[in-house]
């Protein structure tokens, strides 16, 4: 099983908001496929996309609109 952690950079925002999932819960995904769109929680900054790090079945661990912290697990691929 592969955990999908919210990535972060030292100078980047510490909190993000999940704008939308690009792949359905329980769907088959492949490496490099865009899975989620995220935006900084405290601003209207540019959205980023998070991609699959493995091939398998995606399981969402957070909901659309939820505020997330860098390093938090947002999904699982098994």
């Amino acid at each position: 099983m592969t955990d999908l952690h919210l990535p972060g950079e030292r100078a980047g925002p510490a909190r993000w908001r999940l704008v939308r999932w690009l792949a359905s819960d329980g769907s088959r995904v492949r490496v490099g496929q865009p899975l989620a769109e995220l935006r900084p929680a405290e601003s209207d900054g540019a959205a980023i996309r998070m991609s699959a790090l493995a091939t398998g079945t995606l399981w969402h661990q957070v909901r659309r609109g939820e505020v997330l912290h860098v390093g938090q697990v947002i999904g699982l691929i098994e």
Side-chain angles (χ1 to χ4, degrees):
M1 187 170 317
T2 302
D3 292 344
L4 299 173
H5 293 272
L6 181 62
E9 298 178 19
R10 289 183 186 185
R15 295 172 10 121
W16 293 81
R17 184 173 308 278
L18 178 64
V19 175
R20 65 183 172 135
W21 282 103
L22 302 172
S24 300
D25 193 40
S27 67
R28 183 97 176 134
V29 297
R30 66 185 187 291
V31 173
Q33 179 179 341
L35 300 179
E37 189 173 291
L38 303 135
R39 190 175 303 274
E42 280 86 31
S43 72
D44 288 332
I48 62 167
R49 286 192 171 177
M50 189 167 180
S51 299
L53 303 174
T55 296
T57 303
L58 173 66
W59 300 107
H60 298 173
Q61 301 298 300
V62 297
R63 295 184 195 139
R64 180 180 179 182
E66 197 169 327
V67 174
L68 313 166
H69 300 276
V70 168
Q72 182 175 344
V73 174
I74 69 164
L76 304 170
I77 299 175
E78 72 176 1

